[in-house]
Amino acid sequence: MFQPKFQNLAGKIVVITGGAGVLCSTLAKYIALQQTKIAILDLDEKAAKEVARGINAEGGNAIGIKADVLNRESLIEARHTLKKTFGPCDILINGAGGNHPKGTTTKTHLFPEDIGNDKELTTFFNLDAEGIQFVFNLNFIGTLLPTQIFAEDMIGKEGCCILNISSMNAYRPLTKIPAYSGAKAAVSNFTQWLAVHFAPVGIRVNALAPGFFLTEQNRTLLTQENGDLTPRGETILQHTPMNRFGEPEDLVGTTLWLVSDQSKFVTGVTIPIDGGFSAYSGV
Ligand code: NAD
């Protein structure tokens, strides 16, 4: 009888991009506990090696590798290092991503008096195309390129899969951040496309859509110095039925499920992990 278990992860070779970041370093730690061999890829080499060192100190098997998800040569180099150290990749987690202030408007709505106030405000009309491009590249191309490099080694092997990181704003755009919203919508869409494309070669492709997680990057957007919520932080919690921000650990169970044989007939899905945010209409 088939008995699904996480133990099928033991010995698997996992690559996680953006692995030195807040969410993915936590995922890396828990994936390593499943007796996997995990490569922490990040633009920040020192931080990647630090995460790997922490995992190894706890008895895990990790390596930190410098890699730029937007640079093919850098990814090929990382793949070479991975193969020399652990072997070819079985599981790829595309975690590198994020927003940029240049892809962000100052205000939620546009009012007639905002027009022409280019010095103080970023409106839709003076959004910087390069800022938008940066965000699209980091989130979308930064998911596509590592997949091109690492998924090639998955062909012909069993139990290989890809996990992308989308976001709440892929379902409905969040105010002020059109670039990040559009780029994550592209990641969700690509997840479905790739799941269909890769089905005959047995590579499953799924994604997480985290809701609002209080991390160093957004702490000042969501909370004030005294720990009280900002108006944006309050609005988020009012729209989160579970009435709290996510903790990185909240992503672990769904991640282990999606990369293990527990979900072996699941492909092309993006799972919201959001305390009910995406289910709530606000009334
Ligand atoms: P983070 O900023 O803590 O981590 C991102 C990591 O990616 C950093 O270590 C950074 O050095 C690395 N990175 C950046 N550019 C890179 C590049 N070109 N090549 C390789 N590495 C690069 O971010 P996080 O909050 O942990 O987010 C992780 C993922 O989850 C991202 O895709 C993000 O968009 C997504 N996400 C986060 C939240 C949230 O609330 N924090 C919500 C939804 C989705």
Side-chain angles (χ1 to χ4, degrees):
M1 188 173 55
F2 169 65
Q3 287 184 317
K5 49 187 186 296
F6 290 141
Q7 281 91 315
N8 82 312
L9 291 174
K12 291 270 193 224
I13 297 165
V14 183
V15 168
I16 184 162
T17 72
V22 178
L23 300 183
C24 289
S25 61
T26 302
L27 292 183
K29 195 172 85 181
Y30 283 92
I31 291 166
L33 287 177
Q34 304 299 318
Q35 280 82 52
T36 59
K37 297 171 187 172
I38 187 159
I40 315 296
L41 268 58
D42 205 286
L43 202 52
D44 185 340
E45 183 176 16
K46 198 167 155 231
K49 289 192 185 306
E50 196 51 48
V51 172
R53 214 180 345 262
I55 289 172
N56 291 333
E58 297 290 317
N61 200 352
I63 178 177
I65 306 176
K66 182 181 171 69
D68 179 354
V69 293
L70 299 178
N71 183 317
R72 216 183 153 77
E73 294 313 313
S74 156
L75 290 164
I76 290 170
E77 182 68 32
R79 176 195 187 187
H80 182 65
T81 308
L82 176 80
K83 281 173 126 170
K84 255 191 343 196
T85 314
F86 288 150
C89 177
D90 295 301
I91 296 169
L92 170 66
I93 300 181
N94 284 308
N99 193 25
H100 191 279
K102 285 191 168 172
T104 305
T105 61
T106 313
K107 287 179 161 185
T108 300
H109 304 291
L110 180 75
F111 295 97
E113 60 270 26
D114 299 334
I115 306 293
N117 190 2
D118 288 4
K119 280 214 177 103
E120 284 171 36
L121 298 179
T122 302
T123 71
F124 167 72
F125 294 106
N126 61 354
L127 267 177
D128 178 35
E130 279 180 24
I132 306 269
Q133 189 77 61
F134 173 87
V135 177
F136 266 83
N137 281 347
L138 177 57
N139 291 280
F140 183 65
I141 303 295
T143 295
L144 184 136
L145 262 189
T147 306
Q148 286 183 318
I149 304 303
F150 290 101
E152 225 180 349
D153 291 328
M154 299 180 188
I155 310 286
K157 282 197 293 178
E158 280 203 3
C160 293
C161 64
I162 293 158
L163 185 67
N164 297 329
I165 314 278
S166 182
S167 171
M168 264 315 91
N169 54 43
Y171 302 95
R172 280 176 303 163
L174 299 181
T175 57
K176 299 186 183 179
I177 51 173
Y180 187 56
S181 297
K184 287 300 193 187
V187 170
S188 289
N189 187 284
F190 177 59
T191 299
Q192 292 178 308
W193 184 87
L194 199 63
V196 173
H197 193 66
F198 276 178
V201 289
I203 304 171
R204 296 184 302 113
V205 188
N206 293 296
L208 307 180
F212 296 88
F213 287 67
L214 199 53
T215 59
E216 287 320 308
Q217 285 69 31
N218 60 20
R219 192 171 299 276
T220 54
L221 275 177
L222 305 181
T223 57
Q224 301 172 26
E225 267 179 26
N226 65 5
D228 289 351
L229 293 173
T230 60
R232 193 171 174 90
E234 270 179 22
T235 307
I236 289 166
L237 285 196
Q238 281 161 9
H239 287 76
T240 303
M242 293 182 80
N243 197 33
R244 69 169 175 88
F245 295 113
E247 305 282 342
E249 283 75 9
D250 290 326
L251 301 175
V252 172
T254 310
T255 298
L256 293 179
W257 174 64
L258 283 175
V259 300
S260 73
D261 70 351
Q262 295 228 359
S263 63
K264 69 194 184 97
F265 196 47
V266 178
T267 194
V269 302
T270 297
I271 309 277
I273 304 171
D274 65 346
F277 181 91
S278 58
Y280 185 44
S281 71
V283 288

